PDB file of all heavy atoms in Angstrom:
ATOM      1  N   GLU A   1      -4.398   2.055   8.547  1.00  0.00           N
ATOM      2  CA  GLU A   1      -5.658   1.458   8.968  1.00  0.00           C
ATOM      3  C   GLU A   1      -5.459   0.154   9.719  1.00  0.00           C
ATOM      4  O   GLU A   1      -6.242  -0.200  10.590  1.00  0.00           O
ATOM      5  CB  GLU A   1      -6.557   1.208   7.757  1.00  0.00           C
ATOM      6  CG  GLU A   1      -6.974   2.472   7.020  1.00  0.00           C
ATOM      7  CD  GLU A   1      -7.790   2.167   5.788  1.00  0.00           C
ATOM      8  OE1 GLU A   1      -7.701   1.029   5.282  1.00  0.00           O
ATOM      9  OE2 GLU A   1      -8.515   3.062   5.323  1.00  0.00           O
ATOM     10  N   THR A   2      -4.434  -0.582   9.380  1.00  0.00           N
ATOM     11  CA  THR A   2      -4.157  -1.875   9.998  1.00  0.00           C
ATOM     12  C   THR A   2      -2.679  -2.183   9.810  1.00  0.00           C
ATOM     13  O   THR A   2      -2.026  -1.635   8.913  1.00  0.00           O
ATOM     14  CB  THR A   2      -5.025  -2.978   9.370  1.00  0.00           C
ATOM     15  OG1 THR A   2      -4.830  -4.205  10.080  1.00  0.00           O
ATOM     16  CG2 THR A   2      -4.686  -3.186   7.898  1.00  0.00           C
ATOM     17  N   ASP A   3      -2.127  -3.034  10.657  1.00  0.00           N
ATOM     18  CA  ASP A   3      -0.712  -3.397  10.546  1.00  0.00           C
ATOM     19  C   ASP A   3      -0.452  -4.160   9.249  1.00  0.00           C
ATOM     20  O   ASP A   3      -1.259  -5.007   8.835  1.00  0.00           O
ATOM     21  CB  ASP A   3      -0.290  -4.260  11.730  1.00  0.00           C
ATOM     22  CG  ASP A   3      -0.183  -3.467  13.026  1.00  0.00           C
ATOM     23  OD1 ASP A   3      -0.091  -2.228  12.950  1.00  0.00           O
ATOM     24  OD2 ASP A   3      -0.183  -4.097  14.098  1.00  0.00           O
ATOM     25  N   VAL A   4       0.686  -3.851   8.637  1.00  0.00           N
ATOM     26  CA  VAL A   4       1.100  -4.522   7.405  1.00  0.00           C
ATOM     27  C   VAL A   4       2.486  -5.110   7.621  1.00  0.00           C
ATOM     28  O   VAL A   4       3.385  -4.434   8.133  1.00  0.00           O
ATOM     29  CB  VAL A   4       1.113  -3.537   6.213  1.00  0.00           C
ATOM     30  CG1 VAL A   4       1.709  -4.199   4.973  1.00  0.00           C
ATOM     31  CG2 VAL A   4      -0.296  -3.043   5.921  1.00  0.00           C
ATOM     32  N   VAL A   5       2.647  -6.379   7.238  1.00  0.00           N
ATOM     33  CA  VAL A   5       3.928  -7.063   7.420  1.00  0.00           C
ATOM     34  C   VAL A   5       4.628  -7.223   6.082  1.00  0.00           C
ATOM     35  O   VAL A   5       4.000  -7.263   5.016  1.00  0.00           O
ATOM     36  CB  VAL A   5       3.748  -8.440   8.087  1.00  0.00           C
ATOM     37  CG1 VAL A   5       3.164  -8.285   9.488  1.00  0.00           C
ATOM     38  CG2 VAL A   5       2.866  -9.353   7.244  1.00  0.00           C
ATOM     39  N   LEU A   6       5.958  -7.328   6.157  1.00  0.00           N
ATOM     40  CA  LEU A   6       6.790  -7.577   4.984  1.00  0.00           C
ATOM     41  C   LEU A   6       7.232  -9.032   5.017  1.00  0.00           C
ATOM     42  O   LEU A   6       7.809  -9.496   6.005  1.00  0.00           O
ATOM     43  CB  LEU A   6       8.008  -6.650   4.996  1.00  0.00           C
ATOM     44  CG  LEU A   6       9.062  -6.885   3.914  1.00  0.00           C
ATOM     45  CD1 LEU A   6       8.489  -6.677   2.510  1.00  0.00           C
ATOM     46  CD2 LEU A   6      10.272  -5.964   4.144  1.00  0.00           C
ATOM     47  N   LEU A   7       6.941  -9.754   3.933  1.00  0.00           N
ATOM     48  CA  LEU A   7       7.315 -11.159   3.802  1.00  0.00           C
ATOM     49  C   LEU A   7       8.363 -11.297   2.707  1.00  0.00           C
ATOM     50  O   LEU A   7       8.172 -10.807   1.587  1.00  0.00           O
ATOM     51  CB  LEU A   7       6.095 -12.013   3.462  1.00  0.00           C
ATOM     52  CG  LEU A   7       4.909 -11.906   4.431  1.00  0.00           C
ATOM     53  CD1 LEU A   7       3.682 -12.566   3.847  1.00  0.00           C
ATOM     54  CD2 LEU A   7       5.266 -12.542   5.761  1.00  0.00           C
ATOM     55  N   ILE A   8       9.469 -11.949   3.033  1.00  0.00           N
ATOM     56  CA  ILE A   8      10.534 -12.227   2.072  1.00  0.00           C
ATOM     57  C   ILE A   8      10.602 -13.740   1.895  1.00  0.00           C
ATOM     58  O   ILE A   8      11.002 -14.464   2.812  1.00  0.00           O
ATOM     59  CB  ILE A   8      11.897 -11.687   2.559  1.00  0.00           C
ATOM     60  CG1 ILE A   8      11.804 -10.205   2.950  1.00  0.00           C
ATOM     61  CG2 ILE A   8      12.966 -11.918   1.497  1.00  0.00           C
ATOM     62  CD1 ILE A   8      11.571  -9.264   1.794  1.00  0.00           C
ATOM     63  N   ASP A   9      10.185 -14.245   0.747  1.00  0.00           N
ATOM     64  CA  ASP A   9      10.039 -15.686   0.533  1.00  0.00           C
ATOM     65  C   ASP A   9       9.142 -16.260   1.644  1.00  0.00           C
ATOM     66  O   ASP A   9       7.992 -15.870   1.754  1.00  0.00           O
ATOM     67  CB  ASP A   9      11.403 -16.368   0.455  1.00  0.00           C
ATOM     68  CG  ASP A   9      12.139 -16.035  -0.839  1.00  0.00           C
ATOM     69  OD1 ASP A   9      11.477 -15.777  -1.860  1.00  0.00           O
ATOM     70  OD2 ASP A   9      13.384 -16.020  -0.844  1.00  0.00           O
ATOM     71  N   ASP A  10       9.657 -17.144   2.475  1.00  0.00           N
ATOM     72  CA  ASP A  10       8.814 -17.760   3.502  1.00  0.00           C
ATOM     73  C   ASP A  10       8.976 -17.113   4.875  1.00  0.00           C
ATOM     74  O   ASP A  10       8.501 -17.654   5.874  1.00  0.00           O
ATOM     75  CB  ASP A  10       9.130 -19.255   3.602  1.00  0.00           C
ATOM     76  CG  ASP A  10      10.565 -19.531   4.040  1.00  0.00           C
ATOM     77  OD1 ASP A  10      11.395 -18.608   3.974  1.00  0.00           O
ATOM     78  OD2 ASP A  10      10.855 -20.681   4.442  1.00  0.00           O
ATOM     79  N   ALA A  11       9.651 -15.949   4.945  1.00  0.00           N
ATOM     80  CA  ALA A  11       9.954 -15.335   6.233  1.00  0.00           C
ATOM     81  C   ALA A  11       9.196 -14.023   6.434  1.00  0.00           C
ATOM     82  O   ALA A  11       9.187 -13.156   5.559  1.00  0.00           O
ATOM     83  CB  ALA A  11      11.459 -15.071   6.352  1.00  0.00           C
ATOM     84  N   ASP A  12       8.562 -13.889   7.597  1.00  0.00           N
ATOM     85  CA  ASP A  12       7.953 -12.640   8.028  1.00  0.00           C
ATOM     86  C   ASP A  12       9.042 -11.835   8.730  1.00  0.00           C
ATOM     87  O   ASP A  12       9.503 -12.213   9.810  1.00  0.00           O
ATOM     88  CB  ASP A  12       6.799 -12.957   8.989  1.00  0.00           C
ATOM     89  CG  ASP A  12       6.118 -11.711   9.550  1.00  0.00           C
ATOM     90  OD1 ASP A  12       6.689 -10.613   9.473  1.00  0.00           O
ATOM     91  OD2 ASP A  12       5.008 -11.855  10.109  1.00  0.00           O
ATOM     92  N   VAL A  13       9.470 -10.715   8.122  1.00  0.00           N
ATOM     93  CA  VAL A  13      10.589  -9.954   8.685  1.00  0.00           C
ATOM     94  C   VAL A  13      10.133  -8.770   9.528  1.00  0.00           C
ATOM     95  O   VAL A  13      10.968  -8.055  10.074  1.00  0.00           O
ATOM     96  CB  VAL A  13      11.566  -9.489   7.579  1.00  0.00           C
ATOM     97  CG1 VAL A  13      12.113 -10.686   6.814  1.00  0.00           C
ATOM     98  CG2 VAL A  13      10.906  -8.509   6.620  1.00  0.00           C
ATOM     99  N   GLY A  14       8.820  -8.541   9.625  1.00  0.00           N
ATOM    100  CA  GLY A  14       8.342  -7.499  10.524  1.00  0.00           C
ATOM    101  C   GLY A  14       7.377  -6.530   9.865  1.00  0.00           C
ATOM    102  O   GLY A  14       7.049  -6.634   8.685  1.00  0.00           O
ATOM    103  N   LEU A  15       6.923  -5.569  10.667  1.00  0.00           N
ATOM    104  CA  LEU A  15       5.951  -4.582  10.218  1.00  0.00           C
ATOM    105  C   LEU A  15       6.602  -3.493   9.371  1.00  0.00           C
ATOM    106  O   LEU A  15       7.778  -3.162   9.555  1.00  0.00           O
ATOM    107  CB  LEU A  15       5.259  -3.938  11.415  1.00  0.00           C
ATOM    108  CG  LEU A  15       4.454  -4.863  12.333  1.00  0.00           C
ATOM    109  CD1 LEU A  15       3.920  -4.079  13.524  1.00  0.00           C
ATOM    110  CD2 LEU A  15       3.310  -5.528  11.574  1.00  0.00           C
ATOM    111  N   VAL A  16       5.802  -2.925   8.470  1.00  0.00           N
ATOM    112  CA  VAL A  16       6.226  -1.800   7.646  1.00  0.00           C
ATOM    113  C   VAL A  16       5.322  -0.616   7.955  1.00  0.00           C
ATOM    114  O   VAL A  16       4.093  -0.740   7.921  1.00  0.00           O
ATOM    115  CB  VAL A  16       6.158  -2.143   6.142  1.00  0.00           C
ATOM    116  CG1 VAL A  16       6.455  -0.914   5.287  1.00  0.00           C
ATOM    117  CG2 VAL A  16       7.135  -3.259   5.814  1.00  0.00           C
ATOM    118  N   ARG A  17       5.915   0.532   8.254  1.00  0.00           N
ATOM    119  CA  ARG A  17       5.143   1.721   8.588  1.00  0.00           C
ATOM    120  C   ARG A  17       4.523   2.346   7.346  1.00  0.00           C
ATOM    121  O   ARG A  17       5.131   2.318   6.264  1.00  0.00           O
ATOM    122  CB  ARG A  17       6.031   2.756   9.282  1.00  0.00           C
ATOM    123  CG  ARG A  17       6.536   2.356  10.652  1.00  0.00           C
ATOM    124  CD  ARG A  17       7.366   3.464  11.266  1.00  0.00           C
ATOM    125  NE  ARG A  17       8.630   3.660  10.550  1.00  0.00           N
ATOM    126  CZ  ARG A  17       8.873   4.665   9.722  1.00  0.00           C
ATOM    127  NH1 ARG A  17       7.934   5.570   9.481  1.00  0.00           N
ATOM    128  NH2 ARG A  17      10.041   4.763   9.135  1.00  0.00           N
ATOM    129  N   PRO A  18       3.347   2.935   7.461  1.00  0.00           N
ATOM    130  CA  PRO A  18       2.765   3.685   6.344  1.00  0.00           C
ATOM    131  C   PRO A  18       3.718   4.793   5.882  1.00  0.00           C
ATOM    132  O   PRO A  18       4.318   5.487   6.707  1.00  0.00           O
ATOM    133  CB  PRO A  18       1.487   4.272   6.932  1.00  0.00           C
ATOM    134  CG  PRO A  18       1.140   3.354   8.052  1.00  0.00           C
ATOM    135  CD  PRO A  18       2.448   2.898   8.634  1.00  0.00           C
ATOM    136  N   GLY A  19       3.870   4.925   4.577  1.00  0.00           N
ATOM    137  CA  GLY A  19       4.739   5.941   4.007  1.00  0.00           C
ATOM    138  C   GLY A  19       6.192   5.545   3.902  1.00  0.00           C
ATOM    139  O   GLY A  19       6.977   6.248   3.248  1.00  0.00           O
ATOM    140  N   ALA A  20       6.589   4.438   4.523  1.00  0.00           N
ATOM    141  CA  ALA A  20       7.983   3.991   4.457  1.00  0.00           C
ATOM    142  C   ALA A  20       8.189   3.154   3.199  1.00  0.00           C
ATOM    143  O   ALA A  20       7.548   2.115   3.044  1.00  0.00           O
ATOM    144  CB  ALA A  20       8.341   3.186   5.697  1.00  0.00           C
ATOM    145  N   PRO A  21       9.054   3.552   2.291  1.00  0.00           N
ATOM    146  CA  PRO A  21       9.201   2.818   1.026  1.00  0.00           C
ATOM    147  C   PRO A  21       9.880   1.464   1.210  1.00  0.00           C
ATOM    148  O   PRO A  21      10.800   1.312   2.017  1.00  0.00           O
ATOM    149  CB  PRO A  21      10.066   3.756   0.182  1.00  0.00           C
ATOM    150  CG  PRO A  21      10.860   4.538   1.178  1.00  0.00           C
ATOM    151  CD  PRO A  21       9.947   4.730   2.369  1.00  0.00           C
ATOM    152  N   VAL A  22       9.401   0.503   0.455  1.00  0.00           N
ATOM    153  CA  VAL A  22      10.068  -0.791   0.311  1.00  0.00           C
ATOM    154  C   VAL A  22      10.679  -0.781  -1.082  1.00  0.00           C
ATOM    155  O   VAL A  22       9.966  -0.892  -2.085  1.00  0.00           O
ATOM    156  CB  VAL A  22       9.077  -1.959   0.480  1.00  0.00           C
ATOM    157  CG1 VAL A  22       9.778  -3.294   0.242  1.00  0.00           C
ATOM    158  CG2 VAL A  22       8.442  -1.923   1.865  1.00  0.00           C
ATOM    159  N   ARG A  23      11.989  -0.603  -1.151  1.00  0.00           N
ATOM    160  CA  ARG A  23      12.670  -0.433  -2.442  1.00  0.00           C
ATOM    161  C   ARG A  23      13.150  -1.784  -2.968  1.00  0.00           C
ATOM    162  O   ARG A  23      13.778  -2.555  -2.245  1.00  0.00           O
ATOM    163  CB  ARG A  23      13.833   0.540  -2.293  1.00  0.00           C
ATOM    164  CG  ARG A  23      13.384   1.958  -1.961  1.00  0.00           C
ATOM    165  CD  ARG A  23      14.530   2.946  -2.003  1.00  0.00           C
ATOM    166  NE  ARG A  23      14.047   4.307  -1.859  1.00  0.00           N
ATOM    167  CZ  ARG A  23      13.914   4.937  -0.684  1.00  0.00           C
ATOM    168  NH1 ARG A  23      14.243   4.302   0.439  1.00  0.00           N
ATOM    169  NH2 ARG A  23      13.459   6.174  -0.629  1.00  0.00           N
ATOM    170  N   LEU A  24      12.858  -2.021  -4.247  1.00  0.00           N
ATOM    171  CA  LEU A  24      13.170  -3.297  -4.883  1.00  0.00           C
ATOM    172  C   LEU A  24      14.117  -3.085  -6.061  1.00  0.00           C
ATOM    173  O   LEU A  24      13.925  -2.171  -6.861  1.00  0.00           O
ATOM    174  CB  LEU A  24      11.891  -3.971  -5.385  1.00  0.00           C
ATOM    175  CG  LEU A  24      10.724  -4.081  -4.393  1.00  0.00           C
ATOM    176  CD1 LEU A  24       9.513  -4.686  -5.086  1.00  0.00           C
ATOM    177  CD2 LEU A  24      11.120  -4.893  -3.184  1.00  0.00           C
ATOM    178  N   SER A  25      15.112  -3.930  -6.163  1.00  0.00           N
ATOM    179  CA  SER A  25      16.026  -3.907  -7.310  1.00  0.00           C
ATOM    180  C   SER A  25      16.474  -5.344  -7.562  1.00  0.00           C
ATOM    181  O   SER A  25      16.143  -6.260  -6.800  1.00  0.00           O
ATOM    182  CB  SER A  25      17.226  -2.992  -7.039  1.00  0.00           C
ATOM    183  OG  SER A  25      17.934  -3.425  -5.886  1.00  0.00           O
ATOM    184  N   TYR A  26      17.218  -5.560  -8.636  1.00  0.00           N
ATOM    185  CA  TYR A  26      17.709  -6.906  -8.905  1.00  0.00           C
ATOM    186  C   TYR A  26      18.867  -7.215  -7.970  1.00  0.00           C
ATOM    187  O   TYR A  26      19.786  -6.420  -7.799  1.00  0.00           O
ATOM    188  CB  TYR A  26      18.143  -7.041 -10.356  1.00  0.00           C
ATOM    189  CG  TYR A  26      16.990  -6.988 -11.327  1.00  0.00           C
ATOM    190  CD1 TYR A  26      16.863  -5.940 -12.232  1.00  0.00           C
ATOM    191  CD2 TYR A  26      16.022  -7.980 -11.325  1.00  0.00           C
ATOM    192  CE1 TYR A  26      15.797  -5.889 -13.111  1.00  0.00           C
ATOM    193  CE2 TYR A  26      14.949  -7.938 -12.206  1.00  0.00           C
ATOM    194  CZ  TYR A  26      14.846  -6.888 -13.092  1.00  0.00           C
ATOM    195  OH  TYR A  26      13.782  -6.838 -13.945  1.00  0.00           O
ATOM    196  N   GLY A  27      18.802  -8.392  -7.330  1.00  0.00           N
ATOM    197  CA  GLY A  27      19.854  -8.822  -6.428  1.00  0.00           C
ATOM    198  C   GLY A  27      20.827  -9.764  -7.114  1.00  0.00           C
ATOM    199  O   GLY A  27      20.707 -10.080  -8.302  1.00  0.00           O
ATOM    200  N   GLU A  28      21.796 -10.236  -6.347  1.00  0.00           N
ATOM    201  CA  GLU A  28      22.753 -11.183  -6.854  1.00  0.00           C
ATOM    202  C   GLU A  28      22.033 -12.479  -7.232  1.00  0.00           C
ATOM    203  O   GLU A  28      21.233 -13.003  -6.444  1.00  0.00           O
ATOM    204  CB  GLU A  28      23.805 -11.461  -5.772  1.00  0.00           C
ATOM    205  CG  GLU A  28      25.037 -12.173  -6.260  1.00  0.00           C
ATOM    206  CD  GLU A  28      26.105 -12.262  -5.185  1.00  0.00           C
ATOM    207  OE1 GLU A  28      25.757 -12.616  -4.036  1.00  0.00           O
ATOM    208  OE2 GLU A  28      27.280 -11.976  -5.478  1.00  0.00           O
ATOM    209  N   PRO A  29      22.280 -13.007  -8.422  1.00  0.00           N
ATOM    210  CA  PRO A  29      21.541 -14.197  -8.850  1.00  0.00           C
ATOM    211  C   PRO A  29      21.931 -15.448  -8.071  1.00  0.00           C
ATOM    212  O   PRO A  29      22.961 -15.486  -7.388  1.00  0.00           O
ATOM    213  CB  PRO A  29      21.895 -14.321 -10.331  1.00  0.00           C
ATOM    214  CG  PRO A  29      23.216 -13.660 -10.440  1.00  0.00           C
ATOM    215  CD  PRO A  29      23.209 -12.533  -9.445  1.00  0.00           C
ATOM    216  N   VAL A  30      21.099 -16.451  -8.197  1.00  0.00           N
ATOM    217  CA  VAL A  30      21.368 -17.785  -7.650  1.00  0.00           C
ATOM    218  C   VAL A  30      21.597 -18.734  -8.821  1.00  0.00           C
ATOM    219  O   VAL A  30      20.910 -18.638  -9.838  1.00  0.00           O
ATOM    220  CB  VAL A  30      20.186 -18.265  -6.789  1.00  0.00           C
ATOM    221  CG1 VAL A  30      20.262 -19.758  -6.509  1.00  0.00           C
ATOM    222  CG2 VAL A  30      20.130 -17.480  -5.479  1.00  0.00           C
ATOM    223  N   THR A  31      22.573 -19.621  -8.690  1.00  0.00           N
ATOM    224  CA  THR A  31      22.874 -20.599  -9.738  1.00  0.00           C
ATOM    225  C   THR A  31      22.293 -21.953  -9.348  1.00  0.00           C
ATOM    226  O   THR A  31      22.698 -22.546  -8.342  1.00  0.00           O
ATOM    227  CB  THR A  31      24.375 -20.730  -9.967  1.00  0.00           C
ATOM    228  OG1 THR A  31      24.924 -19.458 -10.335  1.00  0.00           O
ATOM    229  CG2 THR A  31      24.678 -21.737 -11.075  1.00  0.00           C
ATOM    230  N   LEU A  32      21.308 -22.420 -10.113  1.00  0.00           N
ATOM    231  CA  LEU A  32      20.736 -23.741  -9.900  1.00  0.00           C
ATOM    232  C   LEU A  32      21.512 -24.785 -10.681  1.00  0.00           C
ATOM    233  O   LEU A  32      21.920 -24.546 -11.830  1.00  0.00           O
ATOM    234  CB  LEU A  32      19.267 -23.768 -10.317  1.00  0.00           C
ATOM    235  CG  LEU A  32      18.306 -22.807  -9.613  1.00  0.00           C
ATOM    236  CD1 LEU A  32      16.881 -23.050 -10.094  1.00  0.00           C
ATOM    237  CD2 LEU A  32      18.396 -22.950  -8.095  1.00  0.00           C
ATOM    238  N   ALA A  33      21.721 -25.936 -10.074  1.00  0.00           N
ATOM    239  CA  ALA A  33      22.355 -27.071 -10.754  1.00  0.00           C
ATOM    240  C   ALA A  33      21.242 -27.958 -11.301  1.00  0.00           C
ATOM    241  O   ALA A  33      20.491 -28.567 -10.538  1.00  0.00           O
ATOM    242  CB  ALA A  33      23.242 -27.843  -9.790  1.00  0.00           C
ATOM    243  N   ALA A  34      21.115 -28.001 -12.615  1.00  0.00           N
ATOM    244  CA  ALA A  34      20.078 -28.799 -13.259  1.00  0.00           C
ATOM    245  C   ALA A  34      20.691 -30.115 -13.744  1.00  0.00           C
ATOM    246  O   ALA A  34      21.549 -30.126 -14.623  1.00  0.00           O
ATOM    247  CB  ALA A  34      19.475 -28.029 -14.437  1.00  0.00           C
TER     248      ALA A  34
END
């Protein structure tokens, strides 16, 4: 019906087509220095 964009944190990485899966899994962790 309308264009849909994929945002990763603060970045717009582009359009996503209807029916195209966006697959999510756990990535490599980040270590914060507290």
Side-chain angles (χ1 to χ4, degrees):
E1 297 177 339
T2 186
D3 288 342
V4 173
V5 297
L6 174 62
L7 304 169
I8 308 292
D9 289 331
D10 63 344
D12 178 343
V13 301
L15 299 176
V16 174
R17 293 182 292 104
V22 177
R23 294 188 172 90
L24 310 176
S25 59
Y26 291 114
E28 194 173 46
V30 165
T31 301
L32 301 184

